[in-house]
Amino acid sequence: MKTDKIYFGAAYYDEYLPYDRIDQDMKMMKKAGMNVIRIAESTWSTLEPQEGIYDFSHLDRMLDAASQYGLDVIVGTPTYAIPTWLAKKSEDILALTEDGQEIYGRRQNMDLTSPVYLKYAENIIRVLLEHVHQHPRVIGYQIDNETHHYHTAGPRAQAMFVDTLKDQYPDIQDFNHEFGLDYWSNRVNDWSDFPDVRGTINGSLAAEFEKFQRKLVTDFHHWQASIIEEYRRPNQFITHNFDFEWHGYSLGLQPDANSYDSAACMTVAGGDIYHPSQSKLTGAEITACGNILRGLKRDNYLILETQAQGNIEWLPYPGQLRLCAYSHLANGANSVMYWHWHSIHNAIESYWKGVLSHDFSENATYREAMKIGDELQTFGDRLKNLQKKNDVAILLDHESLTGLKQFPVGSLGAAGYNTIVRWIGDALYRANIEYDMIYTQDMHLDEYKLVFVPALYSASEDTLNRLAQYAADGGHLVVTFRSGFADEHIKIYSDTQPHILHQCLGINYNQFTIPEDVSLDCHFDTAASGAGVHEWMDLVMPDTAVSLADYHHTSWNRYAAVTENRYGAGTAYYLGCYFDTDALDSLISYIARNASIECSNTRFPVIIKKGINDYRHMVWYYLNYSSEIQTVTYKGGPGHQLLDNTDVQSEEELTLHPWDLIIIEEK
Amino acid sequence: MKTDKIYFGAAYYDEYLPYDRIDQDMKMMKKAGMNVIRIAESTWSTLEPQEGIYDFSHLDRMLDAASQYGLDVIVGTPTYAIPTWLAKKSEDILALTEDGQEIYGRRQNMDLTSPVYLKYAENIIRVLLEHVHQHPRVIGYQIDNETHHYHTAGPRAQAMFVDTLKDQYPDIQDFNHEFGLDYWSNRVNDWSDFPDVRGTINGSLAAEFEKFQRKLVTDFHHWQASIIEEYRRPNQFITHNFDFEWHGYSLGLQPDANSYDSAACMTVAGGDIYHPSQSKLTGAEITACGNILRGLKRDNYLILETQAQGNIEWLPYPGQLRLCAYSHLANGANSVMYWHWHSIHNAIESYWKGVLSHDFSENATYREAMKIGDELQTFGDRLKNLQKKNDVAILLDHESLTGLKQFPVGSLGAAGYNTIVRWIGDALYRANIEYDMIYTQDMHLDEYKLVFVPALYSASEDTLNRLAQYAADGGHLVVTFRSGFADEHIKIYSDTQPHILHQCLGINYNQFTIPEDVSLDCHFDTAASGAGVHEWMDLVMPDTAVSLADYHHTSWNRYAAVTENRYGAGTAYYLGCYFDTDALDSLISYIARNASIECSNTRFPVIIKKGINDYRHMVWYYLNYSSEIQTVTYKGGPGHQLLDNTDVQSEEELTLHPWDLIIIEEK
Amino acid sequence: MKTDKIYFGAAYYDEYLPYDRIDQDMKMMKKAGMNVIRIAESTWSTLEPQEGIYDFSHLDRMLDAASQYGLDVIVGTPTYAIPTWLAKKSEDILALTEDGQEIYGRRQNMDLTSPVYLKYAENIIRVLLEHVHQHPRVIGYQIDNETHHYHTAGPRAQAMFVDTLKDQYPDIQDFNHEFGLDYWSNRVNDWSDFPDVRGTINGSLAAEFEKFQRKLVTDFHHWQASIIEEYRRPNQFITHNFDFEWHGYSLGLQPDANSYDSAACMTVAGGDIYHPSQSKLTGAEITACGNILRGLKRDNYLILETQAQGNIEWLPYPGQLRLCAYSHLANGANSVMYWHWHSIHNAIESYWKGVLSHDFSENATYREAMKIGDELQTFGDRLKNLQKKNDVAILLDHESLTGLKQFPVGSLGAAGYNTIVRWIGDALYRANIEYDMIYTQDMHLDEYKLVFVPALYSASEDTLNRLAQYAADGGHLVVTFRSGFADEHIKIYSDTQPHILHQCLGINYNQFTIPEDVSLDCHFDTAASGAGVHEWMDLVMPDTAVSLADYHHTSWNRYAAVTENRYGAGTAYYLGCYFDTDALDSLISYIARNASIECSNTRFPVIIKKGINDYRHMVWYYLNYSSEIQTVTYKGGPGHQLLDNTDVQSEEELTLHPWDLIIIEEK
């Protein structure tokens, strides 16, 4: 979705304020150049304090203020946190999970299959939409918020799951065979014998149940969207605030929802990206997670939440708030919205601080937001709807994520999949190679010169054949360890590994281990030799491939670690192990050169991003992710520096101040 | 309460002995100079082996032996460990907590609101008191033992809690507003919708429930005391064995009871202090926790339990048992009683060893106790009822403790409050500045020249105003980070921080973070510069204050870390961060000098304590907490060394042997 | 039990295969020289897919193939993993434990006291035995698999437990006294008041319940054996796959079953030994756990499971598979069987890899198995039924293991007992002193010159008297800390420690602590001085003993650490603390010399083992547990090297290649 401006703003909760501040806050927002607020999400209990009793006062105050101050409004459906009275309605509203029965208190613990929950949720959505949909400042709707499946596993959900298995497997013997249930006498000879899936030791069955749970989220999103469609005006969008696997901050693909499938019912993808700050700020999350969002609809996206002050340890150094805001835009976002405007005075997120602290005064963070707002009012029009055209893609897959949660790589644990994806993605980021995230549901491989396939543990034969064909057709394919190992039900393939791909890769292996005192002997770059190998190593035997790196170890040195193979018109690489990033950086350069990918000599901490703006001009961002001054040679055509309003020539030396940036629009 | 001698003895359990040893044990006690035993606490099942069937045989044997050997007896009510038959009486006797239903086995897991428990408890107290109260050797009663609320959260307790809220908030909207329940739709529109508080994510509500739970303990203590009052003879005292937050040993204020409120019903405060030993023995717990006890009734107190051999790793080095015994007396205790006389041969505390080991022989610990007993018989009369008059106080508050459990400081976790209190208290201890602990319930500030307010997170406006007035009136007030931040319901104040105090402190701040690579630039003592800052830092902006220390850091160096402000007739200091103790020691010296506090040049490991004895003479203790010989100059007037029975002159050099001490009574 | 050949093979699961591979697999097995498969264990759901409906097809296919290819077959009863339909039969089939109700999924979580489980188990055993017992290739039966008590603690099991107490203690007062239940009012005055034992804080009671739980396993094994006895042909054996305390691999004595008591109903002991690999391979587990198995029936034993590829990090270096196979045989095993033939394509053990990987191709591990099989076919006849005659024994005891789980040694935790046993056993192993494991149930001490008693925490007076008598009669007795401390109900002895043994040891102690900065001053070998003392130290006071080592520490240096005492015709040593293995190695040498134990100058990593073969010839194994070449002097008589078929003379220098071995049969 294209927007007519960059949206800059924050979530705003009149409901949570200790006293009436709407006028003061709107004035402060305007002063900071903000133009949008997000409201209503999570406020069910103030909107419907008792069943069927509605209170629109907060909503109306905010909409009136938005009109008065000329702010746009995104309205969220309030369904992800239920009121106390609703929790008392039925015992099945809160999820029953592996850890037992949820009790009331926190958000996001309901059972998405509960008819009682769904009935009241539909009602409040309709009541809300009816009330707001004609308001001229309402530009769009957010479905729920960060919806997950909440690990729901009660009897109703499990019965629904068994029904999906019955549909897939008319003959129960096929089911037993594909899932390998004979093991440890877990065979199910009659569907009525189906045991509580929470106890299963069968990774295939556990993964299938997680897939089913993700589908519950997809269905819930499509159901909410269908209700909103009855009300929304044509120029009002539907979005969702997608979140990411959480590791104290946004890590990567969200395991507990299938964002790609959910996004199909939406006008525009939205999301929240949170990241380390201060000396740990690298911008890597803004790119990796931003690319996930951009891939959901292959279009620009909205940042509906990101940190202002955020967690206590995230308080940004001077310059960092602004650097991050532009990094989002440089990556294809059309909005930067903070969670949240004001810090909260009670409850669990009191120290997840907003733009304003608890005292509502102008603080250092607010003052930096003012600077951003001022600049965006000046030249935001040159930055919006940035079109990205990348030659490189990373392939993502939810079932592989689940597979590697069931069967972890070394000590990487449940986060192994995203860790490996980020291992690849962050190396591209450091090399200033911009890339797309694509999904196995929609493999438009032919648009790319170079495709990375990290840890595609679970893959159908169709997927694997298409990857091989991509290489045969001239593509550059990079496959890592743990790819093509198991089928779509996490059943391990029982012939030569990697299944199907071994032909295009020109290698095979039948053993692997966890490396101990193993390093690489690198032929693609002898300087990279000595890099440590960690967590996983396939004992690779090249067939037609040539070895790019071997293992340095007394017992394993007969095996290859990294290989390259000409296949048809293309080239296929295999990365048989997880190794130090220095060597990966070098390997990525080697591969990129082979694939004729445009490579910059400039590397992280200076990040370069670019895209085409609405005026068909190329816009270049040079972002300094360090506390040192950096110099860099500008590689675009003659242009105009937007921030200081000066001209710049090609090959001109640019000076970047700490945590600062330069934006150049080519002429 | 004044006592007519120093009580020296142990808890004694005839019930737990593998064979009848009363005569042998009493003889050994007498030989060790002991004069008191504590009995009956935790022995309900031997006293009432079946409902209504009483067995006084153990009790009578012990009382008879006490008479025969001239030992005094403290009788504990046995209510903190219930018999098996009582546990079977009703399902609600054992507490239902956040972790589910307690089951029988360990002590201290009953529901203090259970009518069945209370009925049987009252009966056994009356039966016991009836039996013993006329016995001439019984000098006092201990109510229960280390009573906590045991996290009781069953339906009855929760209903009682909601009733207290109804009383406080006739209008439920006021309740919702003060507790910020609109957040995440947690609003309660009708008291009947009140959800299970165990699930709450609202720190204010969770803290209010903990306050309610502590009140259950207070009520329980007052109820037991009222029963005992019906029986006790005028010269028999009522006490309780108060314990402390536990960190493998006594840390500080007990979170699960309100000791100050409980103590109101007692004649004398008692408690148990356990501490590290061997090379980790510092005596700091004896002072910090002893001061807490002395503050409960602003009077001398009883050490009802402390370690003899204790835990396996606590076995005292030669000298340490005696050093600790005198440290208690030096701090205002009138008793040193060990838990316990003999080591136990079965069950969980078999390796929490008593004076005697399992073999009952005379061991090294017993022989050291003999020495103590011998000395106390010689000159204990000069040491009892020591009156302490301190110019310095630390202010304590239970609600602040809970608040910082809900919203921890950095990585300090649930123990953060006591950690910060000890950070201050132990610096005073090291500097040989004796201090009192006072409570927000009873802020007699005007008795002190210098008052420390560590992490007073939760504070009413009245409390804050009184602190400010103390400074205005000429006091020296030292306030640390995290003080005055939230009100009495843990609702964060929404104006300039620190609320109210910012005026007397002459500073304000609206941002804080967790320090990373931050140190101090100290203006009060340049040698203290470089001290590391940890866990928390307020970004302090002086208004009228002068900075005593700034942050050393590329981004945060524009902010102050420690400030000093003249305010009215007094001075107010703000410590905006948690920093290395070396710098704190230096700062404490600076502040103490400014406040004209008497300061010694002698520092830890030599500890100096003093007080006025019953003969109106000053008694000086010099305690060597190290394994090296120490020399120190005696600063009192002409006196008499009690241990070696020699005279000493002012300014005389004293030689302290490892883990040894010198006691001087001025003439 | 003597066997007519070395059994070499693997567990084989036709049930788990993704497609029919029996013919291919049998051919590959034959090619690898394998001669036995283990089947049927854990396959109840394929054998009886619905109640009373039997499917013998997998079984018959495997038996037919065994006949065709001349493989022997061990048939396991399938009772340790129940079918889904059986789990639905009754709510009491799955165990109720301390952690709550087990749910279906994993194996080994049933309640062994469930009548419903036992009824169906008996039926399937009879159906299976009826079907197979006449088959000529069936050589024996395995009862269940790795049976534990699964922590079963439901109401029925607890009632049975109370019944055993009633039988032991007709007078409940005796029970209360022995278990010390007066402590914390835990007294049980009427058996009907007996509380849920899961809550107990009484270590004696908890230990007694564990002993009862182990007895459930013993009874279960004897019951299964009695059924099998009705069917088995005289030349068919009964065994069980005993496992070991698990620490990521086999550590030592299994806590959750009493292997010695169970083995009484069996023809031959069997077991599974898993161990670290790659650079962490030492062979110590093969010896320690193999000795435990050899002691169960004081006879040769079967290795029914050990790792082929095993866990991912266990993939053997070249040579290690073969080195381990021979190490088992050298220790008295008559079989080496892998778990398992093929890797599994679904479920929890997919990465516990077999001889074959998931692709079924010939891999490096398979090729090494081929070499072993080829060699065993050539000269296996000279290696079978190896008779071991050792002069040294270690005494084992289950109740002591439990006792030290209740009252752990320092930080050693629940595994403390086996850790201390291994501390002694592994020192013997490194010194090439072969030893037996003997059990307190069957103390044939007079067969040994030197007996080690590690951490015999729980010991009856009879046991202690027999140990003392052994020394008096001329034996060399080595007792460690924590021995003789408590009686058979974990009640601590109340006289001089170590109870009874203090006389033969010539020492006593009444205090102990956890060492901090303590080392040894060694008189038996001054070079061993400085060794660190860890986890535990008794403060030993010699009576008649001489000190072999004292503590080096300012406060504890007056106490002895290690002592030696002449007692009657023998010598008794006391090791009062846990110390660095270097000093232990030296002490073991000193003690072994004193006891006239044959000692080699060759030490680990070269391991020497020997025994008498069926031809009454001594067979010597020299095993190189390192990646370096080792040379060693052959100490046997003129012999024949079996592997390279050459002669060897006494005192000849042998060269051992990395992870390689030499076998010499004396002539």
mmCIF file with all atom_site columns, all heavy atoms in Angstrom, chain A residues 183 457 482 491 510 513, chain C residues 104 312 346 349 351 357:
data_model
loop_
_atom_site.group_PDB
_atom_site.id
_atom_site.type_symbol
_atom_site.label_atom_id
_atom_site.label_alt_id
_atom_site.label_comp_id
_atom_site.label_asym_id
_atom_site.label_entity_id
_atom_site.label_seq_id
_atom_site.pdbx_PDB_ins_code
_atom_site.Cartn_x
_atom_site.Cartn_y
_atom_site.Cartn_z
_atom_site.occupancy
_atom_site.B_iso_or_equiv
_atom_site.pdbx_formal_charge
_atom_site.auth_seq_id
_atom_site.auth_comp_id
_atom_site.auth_asym_id
_atom_site.auth_atom_id
_atom_site.pdbx_PDB_model_num
ATOM 1   N N   . TYR A 1 183 ? 6.841  -46.211 16.815 1.00 0.00 ? 183 TYR A N   1
ATOM 2   C CA  . TYR A 1 183 ? 7.928  -46.005 17.776 1.00 0.00 ? 183 TYR A CA  1
ATOM 3   C C   . TYR A 1 183 ? 7.378  -45.826 19.188 1.00 0.00 ? 183 TYR A C   1
ATOM 4   O O   . TYR A 1 183 ? 6.476  -45.037 19.420 1.00 0.00 ? 183 TYR A O   1
ATOM 5   C CB  . TYR A 1 183 ? 8.736  -44.774 17.333 1.00 0.00 ? 183 TYR A CB  1
ATOM 6   C CG  . TYR A 1 183 ? 9.776  -44.334 18.302 1.00 0.00 ? 183 TYR A CG  1
ATOM 7   C CD1 . TYR A 1 183 ? 11.024 -44.954 18.357 1.00 0.00 ? 183 TYR A CD1 1
ATOM 8   C CD2 . TYR A 1 183 ? 9.506  -43.298 19.183 1.00 0.00 ? 183 TYR A CD2 1
ATOM 9   C CE1 . TYR A 1 183 ? 11.975 -44.529 19.265 1.00 0.00 ? 183 TYR A CE1 1
ATOM 10  C CE2 . TYR A 1 183 ? 10.457 -42.865 20.088 1.00 0.00 ? 183 TYR A CE2 1
ATOM 11  C CZ  . TYR A 1 183 ? 11.686 -43.489 20.122 1.00 0.00 ? 183 TYR A CZ  1
ATOM 12  O OH  . TYR A 1 183 ? 12.619 -43.070 21.022 1.00 0.00 ? 183 TYR A OH  1
ATOM 13  N N   . TYR A 1 457 ? 14.896 -27.159 7.185  1.00 0.00 ? 457 TYR A N   1
ATOM 14  C CA  . TYR A 1 457 ? 14.879 -28.513 7.730  1.00 0.00 ? 457 TYR A CA  1
ATOM 15  C C   . TYR A 1 457 ? 13.722 -29.334 7.179  1.00 0.00 ? 457 TYR A C   1
ATOM 16  O O   . TYR A 1 457 ? 13.870 -30.495 6.823  1.00 0.00 ? 457 TYR A O   1
ATOM 17  C CB  . TYR A 1 457 ? 14.778 -28.437 9.253  1.00 0.00 ? 457 TYR A CB  1
ATOM 18  C CG  . TYR A 1 457 ? 14.838 -29.781 9.927  1.00 0.00 ? 457 TYR A CG  1
ATOM 19  C CD1 . TYR A 1 457 ? 16.034 -30.493 9.963  1.00 0.00 ? 457 TYR A CD1 1
ATOM 20  C CD2 . TYR A 1 457 ? 13.708 -30.348 10.511 1.00 0.00 ? 457 TYR A CD2 1
ATOM 21  C CE1 . TYR A 1 457 ? 16.104 -31.733 10.575 1.00 0.00 ? 457 TYR A CE1 1
ATOM 22  C CE2 . TYR A 1 457 ? 13.773 -31.584 11.138 1.00 0.00 ? 457 TYR A CE2 1
ATOM 23  C CZ  . TYR A 1 457 ? 14.972 -32.277 11.167 1.00 0.00 ? 457 TYR A CZ  1
ATOM 24  O OH  . TYR A 1 457 ? 15.045 -33.499 11.768 1.00 0.00 ? 457 TYR A OH  1
ATOM 25  N N   . ARG A 1 482 ? 21.405 -28.705 7.596  1.00 0.00 ? 482 ARG A N   1
ATOM 26  C CA  . ARG A 1 482 ? 20.057 -28.930 8.119  1.00 0.00 ? 482 ARG A CA  1
ATOM 27  C C   . ARG A 1 482 ? 18.961 -28.621 7.100  1.00 0.00 ? 482 ARG A C   1
ATOM 28  O O   . ARG A 1 482 ? 17.794 -28.554 7.467  1.00 0.00 ? 482 ARG A O   1
ATOM 29  C CB  . ARG A 1 482 ? 19.798 -28.117 9.408  1.00 0.00 ? 482 ARG A CB  1
ATOM 30  C CG  . ARG A 1 482 ? 20.756 -28.384 10.548 1.00 0.00 ? 482 ARG A CG  1
ATOM 31  C CD  . ARG A 1 482 ? 20.389 -29.597 11.362 1.00 0.00 ? 482 ARG A CD  1
ATOM 32  N NE  . ARG A 1 482 ? 20.581 -30.828 10.624 1.00 0.00 ? 482 ARG A NE  1
ATOM 33  C CZ  . ARG A 1 482 ? 19.955 -31.961 10.858 1.00 0.00 ? 482 ARG A CZ  1
ATOM 34  N NH1 . ARG A 1 482 ? 19.057 -32.041 11.799 1.00 0.00 ? 482 ARG A NH1 1
ATOM 35  N NH2 . ARG A 1 482 ? 20.194 -33.035 10.146 1.00 0.00 ? 482 ARG A NH2 1
ATOM 36  N N   . LYS A 1 491 ? 9.271  -35.863 8.923  1.00 0.00 ? 491 LYS A N   1
ATOM 37  C CA  . LYS A 1 491 ? 9.787  -37.233 8.806  1.00 0.00 ? 491 LYS A CA  1
ATOM 38  C C   . LYS A 1 491 ? 11.093 -37.127 8.033  1.00 0.00 ? 491 LYS A C   1
ATOM 39  O O   . LYS A 1 491 ? 11.135 -36.546 6.944  1.00 0.00 ? 491 LYS A O   1
ATOM 40  C CB  . LYS A 1 491 ? 8.785  -38.107 8.041  1.00 0.00 ? 491 LYS A CB  1
ATOM 41  C CG  . LYS A 1 491 ? 9.172  -39.595 8.026  1.00 0.00 ? 491 LYS A CG  1
ATOM 42  C CD  . LYS A 1 491 ? 8.165  -40.426 7.229  1.00 0.00 ? 491 LYS A CD  1
ATOM 43  C CE  . LYS A 1 491 ? 8.360  -41.917 7.484  1.00 0.00 ? 491 LYS A CE  1
ATOM 44  N NZ  . LYS A 1 491 ? 7.887  -42.327 8.817  1.00 0.00 ? 491 LYS A NZ  1
ATOM 45  N N   . ASN A 1 510 ? 26.450 -38.691 5.181  1.00 0.00 ? 510 ASN A N   1
ATOM 46  C CA  . ASN A 1 510 ? 25.597 -39.561 5.983  1.00 0.00 ? 510 ASN A CA  1
ATOM 47  C C   . ASN A 1 510 ? 25.953 -39.508 7.473  1.00 0.00 ? 510 ASN A C   1
ATOM 48  O O   . ASN A 1 510 ? 25.392 -40.251 8.257  1.00 0.00 ? 510 ASN A O   1
ATOM 49  C CB  . ASN A 1 510 ? 25.586 -41.007 5.464  1.00 0.00 ? 510 ASN A CB  1
ATOM 50  C CG  . ASN A 1 510 ? 26.999 -41.552 5.310  1.00 0.00 ? 510 ASN A CG  1
ATOM 51  O OD1 . ASN A 1 510 ? 27.877 -41.232 6.110  1.00 0.00 ? 510 ASN A OD1 1
ATOM 52  N ND2 . ASN A 1 510 ? 27.229 -42.356 4.276  1.00 0.00 ? 510 ASN A ND2 1
ATOM 53  N N   . THR A 1 513 ? 28.187 -34.267 13.258 1.00 0.00 ? 513 THR A N   1
ATOM 54  C CA  . THR A 1 513 ? 28.429 -34.252 14.705 1.00 0.00 ? 513 THR A CA  1
ATOM 55  C C   . THR A 1 513 ? 28.488 -32.814 15.181 1.00 0.00 ? 513 THR A C   1
ATOM 56  O O   . THR A 1 513 ? 28.295 -31.876 14.390 1.00 0.00 ? 513 THR A O   1
ATOM 57  C CB  . THR A 1 513 ? 29.720 -35.044 15.058 1.00 0.00 ? 513 THR A CB  1
ATOM 58  O OG1 . THR A 1 513 ? 29.806 -35.196 16.483 1.00 0.00 ? 513 THR A OG1 1
ATOM 59  C CG2 . THR A 1 513 ? 30.970 -34.323 14.554 1.00 0.00 ? 513 THR A CG2 1
ATOM 60  N N   . TYR C 1 104 ? -0.060 -39.550 28.674 1.00 0.00 ? 104 TYR C N   1
ATOM 61  C CA  . TYR C 1 104 ? 0.436  -40.493 27.678 1.00 0.00 ? 104 TYR C CA  1
ATOM 62  C C   . TYR C 1 104 ? 1.426  -39.836 26.729 1.00 0.00 ? 104 TYR C C   1
ATOM 63  O O   . TYR C 1 104 ? 1.283  -38.662 26.390 1.00 0.00 ? 104 TYR C O   1
ATOM 64  C CB  . TYR C 1 104 ? -0.725 -41.069 26.862 1.00 0.00 ? 104 TYR C CB  1
ATOM 65  C CG  . TYR C 1 104 ? -0.260 -42.146 25.923 1.00 0.00 ? 104 TYR C CG  1
ATOM 66  C CD1 . TYR C 1 104 ? -0.066 -43.445 26.381 1.00 0.00 ? 104 TYR C CD1 1
ATOM 67  C CD2 . TYR C 1 104 ? 0.047  -41.867 24.591 1.00 0.00 ? 104 TYR C CD2 1
ATOM 68  C CE1 . TYR C 1 104 ? 0.409  -44.441 25.547 1.00 0.00 ? 104 TYR C CE1 1
ATOM 69  C CE2 . TYR C 1 104 ? 0.519  -42.847 23.747 1.00 0.00 ? 104 TYR C CE2 1
ATOM 70  C CZ  . TYR C 1 104 ? 0.709  -44.135 24.223 1.00 0.00 ? 104 TYR C CZ  1
ATOM 71  O OH  . TYR C 1 104 ? 1.186  -45.106 23.387 1.00 0.00 ? 104 TYR C OH  1
ATOM 72  N N   . ILE C 1 312 ? 24.472 -37.090 18.719 1.00 0.00 ? 312 ILE C N   1
ATOM 73  C CA  . ILE C 1 312 ? 25.191 -36.360 17.675 1.00 0.00 ? 312 ILE C CA  1
ATOM 74  C C   . ILE C 1 312 ? 26.648 -36.111 18.063 1.00 0.00 ? 312 ILE C C   1
ATOM 75  O O   . ILE C 1 312 ? 27.553 -36.265 17.246 1.00 0.00 ? 312 ILE C O   1
ATOM 76  C CB  . ILE C 1 312 ? 24.484 -35.013 17.383 1.00 0.00 ? 312 ILE C CB  1
ATOM 77  C CG1 . ILE C 1 312 ? 23.030 -35.274 16.951 1.00 0.00 ? 312 ILE C CG1 1
ATOM 78  C CG2 . ILE C 1 312 ? 25.218 -34.241 16.312 1.00 0.00 ? 312 ILE C CG2 1
ATOM 79  C CD1 . ILE C 1 312 ? 22.178 -34.018 16.842 1.00 0.00 ? 312 ILE C CD1 1
ATOM 80  N N   . ASN C 1 346 ? 11.352 -40.645 12.667 1.00 0.00 ? 346 ASN C N   1
ATOM 81  C CA  . ASN C 1 346 ? 10.451 -39.740 13.398 1.00 0.00 ? 346 ASN C CA  1
ATOM 82  C C   . ASN C 1 346 ? 10.725 -39.901 14.891 1.00 0.00 ? 346 ASN C C   1
ATOM 83  O O   . ASN C 1 346 ? 11.329 -40.880 15.308 1.00 0.00 ? 346 ASN C O   1
ATOM 84  C CB  . ASN C 1 346 ? 8.964  -40.102 13.206 1.00 0.00 ? 346 ASN C CB  1
ATOM 85  C CG  . ASN C 1 346 ? 8.480  -40.028 11.778 1.00 0.00 ? 346 ASN C CG  1
ATOM 86  O OD1 . ASN C 1 346 ? 8.682  -40.968 11.013 1.00 0.00 ? 346 ASN C OD1 1
ATOM 87  N ND2 . ASN C 1 346 ? 7.820  -38.935 11.425 1.00 0.00 ? 346 ASN C ND2 1
ATOM 88  N N   . GLU C 1 349 ? 13.920 -39.953 19.424 1.00 0.00 ? 349 GLU C N   1
ATOM 89  C CA  . GLU C 1 349 ? 15.282 -40.467 19.331 1.00 0.00 ? 349 GLU C CA  1
ATOM 90  C C   . GLU C 1 349 ? 15.808 -40.481 17.894 1.00 0.00 ? 349 GLU C C   1
ATOM 91  O O   . GLU C 1 349 ? 16.694 -41.271 17.574 1.00 0.00 ? 349 GLU C O   1
ATOM 92  C CB  . GLU C 1 349 ? 15.370 -41.855 19.978 1.00 0.00 ? 349 GLU C CB  1
ATOM 93  C CG  . GLU C 1 349 ? 15.198 -41.783 21.502 1.00 0.00 ? 349 GLU C CG  1
ATOM 94  C CD  . GLU C 1 349 ? 15.410 -43.123 22.190 1.00 0.00 ? 349 GLU C CD  1
ATOM 95  O OE1 . GLU C 1 349 ? 14.916 -44.149 21.665 1.00 0.00 ? 349 GLU C OE1 1
ATOM 96  O OE2 . GLU C 1 349 ? 16.056 -43.144 23.253 1.00 0.00 ? 349 GLU C OE2 1
ATOM 97  N N   . TYR C 1 351 ? 17.788 -38.576 16.558 1.00 0.00 ? 351 TYR C N   1
ATOM 98  C CA  . TYR C 1 351 ? 19.204 -38.228 16.495 1.00 0.00 ? 351 TYR C CA  1
ATOM 99  C C   . TYR C 1 351 ? 20.045 -39.046 17.475 1.00 0.00 ? 351 TYR C C   1
ATOM 100 O O   . TYR C 1 351 ? 21.159 -38.671 17.798 1.00 0.00 ? 351 TYR C O   1
ATOM 101 C CB  . TYR C 1 351 ? 19.384 -36.720 16.680 1.00 0.00 ? 351 TYR C CB  1
ATOM 102 C CG  . TYR C 1 351 ? 18.885 -35.986 15.458 1.00 0.00 ? 351 TYR C CG  1
ATOM 103 C CD1 . TYR C 1 351 ? 17.567 -35.581 15.360 1.00 0.00 ? 351 TYR C CD1 1
ATOM 104 C CD2 . TYR C 1 351 ? 19.715 -35.789 14.359 1.00 0.00 ? 351 TYR C CD2 1
ATOM 105 C CE1 . TYR C 1 351 ? 17.093 -34.959 14.218 1.00 0.00 ? 351 TYR C CE1 1
ATOM 106 C CE2 . TYR C 1 351 ? 19.256 -35.170 13.213 1.00 0.00 ? 351 TYR C CE2 1
ATOM 107 C CZ  . TYR C 1 351 ? 17.943 -34.760 13.148 1.00 0.00 ? 351 TYR C CZ  1
ATOM 108 O OH  . TYR C 1 351 ? 17.491 -34.156 12.008 1.00 0.00 ? 351 TYR C OH  1
ATOM 109 N N   . SER C 1 357 ? 22.927 -44.727 9.247  1.00 0.00 ? 357 SER C N   1
ATOM 110 C CA  . SER C 1 357 ? 22.273 -43.425 9.307  1.00 0.00 ? 357 SER C CA  1
ATOM 111 C C   . SER C 1 357 ? 20.885 -43.541 8.662  1.00 0.00 ? 357 SER C C   1
ATOM 112 O O   . SER C 1 357 ? 20.458 -44.622 8.265  1.00 0.00 ? 357 SER C O   1
ATOM 113 C CB  . SER C 1 357 ? 23.122 -42.389 8.574  1.00 0.00 ? 357 SER C CB  1
ATOM 114 O OG  . SER C 1 357 ? 24.328 -42.181 9.278  1.00 0.00 ? 357 SER C OG  1
#
